[in-house]
């Protein structure tokens, strides 16, 4: 697996995992157009884009992170991606980010577990959050800066 700088075309090449297909209509409008001020990357394996992710500044000291996964992303690829993302988050907080936040589907235990492994904590349940009315956890990783 290679981790490369994100390119907008990666979103179109991403064959989303079933838990994230809900986001397809919003990807280009929200994720694709909102990356100008942030940092983003893609994971490519066997010629396929298997993940697009990034860190988007909200205001000084606060950022949101996002990740979209392909159905082709498999557990053997996880450790390399985890170590890379952990390094990005650690570096961002060492350079002044006090708060990194994201939303996690509470019905997707693998995502909840990964967020906890990355140092995020659940702050609350956002009711009727998604376009289909489902809930999401608000999770955050709080730095010491």
């Amino acid at each position: 697996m290679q981790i490369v700088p994100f390119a907008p075309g990666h979103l179109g090449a991403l064959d989303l995992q079933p838990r994230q297909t809900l986001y397809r209509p919003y990807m280009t409008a929200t994720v694709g157009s909102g990356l100008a001020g942030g940092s983003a990357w893609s994971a490519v394996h066997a010629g396929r884009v298997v993940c697009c992710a990034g860190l988007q500044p909200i205001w000084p000291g606060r950022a949101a992170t996002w990740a979209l996964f392909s159905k082709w992303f498999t557990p053997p690829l996880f450790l390399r991606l985890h170590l890379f993302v952990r390094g990005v988050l650690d570096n961002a907080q060492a350079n002044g980010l006090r708060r990194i936040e994201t939303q996690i589907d509470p019905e997707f235990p693998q995502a909840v577990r990964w967020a906890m492994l990355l140092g995020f904590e659940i702050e609350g349940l956002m009711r009727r959050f998604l376009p289909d009315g489902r809930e999401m956890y608000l999770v955050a990783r709080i730095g010491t800066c």
Side-chain angles (χ1 to χ4, degrees):
M1 180 176 72
Q2 277 188 296
I3 297 173
V4 300
F6 174 82
H10 292 161
L11 288 177
L14 193 62
D15 192 1
L16 287 174
Q17 65 179 323
R19 297 290 311 175
Q20 292 185 319
T21 57
L22 168 72
Y23 306 128
R24 172 71 59 199
Y26 310 102
M27 285 172 33
T28 303
T30 55
V31 176
S33 65
L35 293 174
S39 63
W41 54 91
S42 298
V44 178
H45 179 70
R48 289 187 170 128
V49 177
V50 294
C51 175
C52 295
L55 193 59
Q56 184 65 35
I58 296 173
W59 55 62
R62 179 180 172 217
T65 188
W66 59 273
L68 296 166
F69 289 89
S70 163
K71 67 182 181 183
W72 305 109
F73 187 86
T74 59
L77 304 175
F78 176 76
L79 181 59
R80 174 142 159 63
L81 183 68
H82 173 77
L83 294 173
F84 175 80
V85 171
R86 181 87 186 205
V88 167
L89 298 174
D90 289 348
N91 185 55
Q93 289 190 304
N95 286 294
L97 273 182
R98 296 181 307 274
R99 177 184 178 83
I100 302 171
E101 61 191 52
T102 196
Q103 301 88 35
I104 305 276
D105 182 345
E107 296 178 12
F108 190 17
Q110 298 92 328
V112 175
R113 184 170 187 269
W114 188 36
M116 301 303 109
L117 289 170
L118 287 169
F120 287 84
E121 296 179 16
I122 297 171
E123 291 190 326
L125 183 66
M126 299 182 298
R127 297 175 49 212
R128 312 242 344 124
F129 182 81
L130 291 173
D132 66 358
R134 286 186 296 128
E135 301 171 331
M136 292 288 271
Y137 284 138
L138 173 61
V139 300
R141 188 177 198 249
I142 307 300
T144 57
C145 296

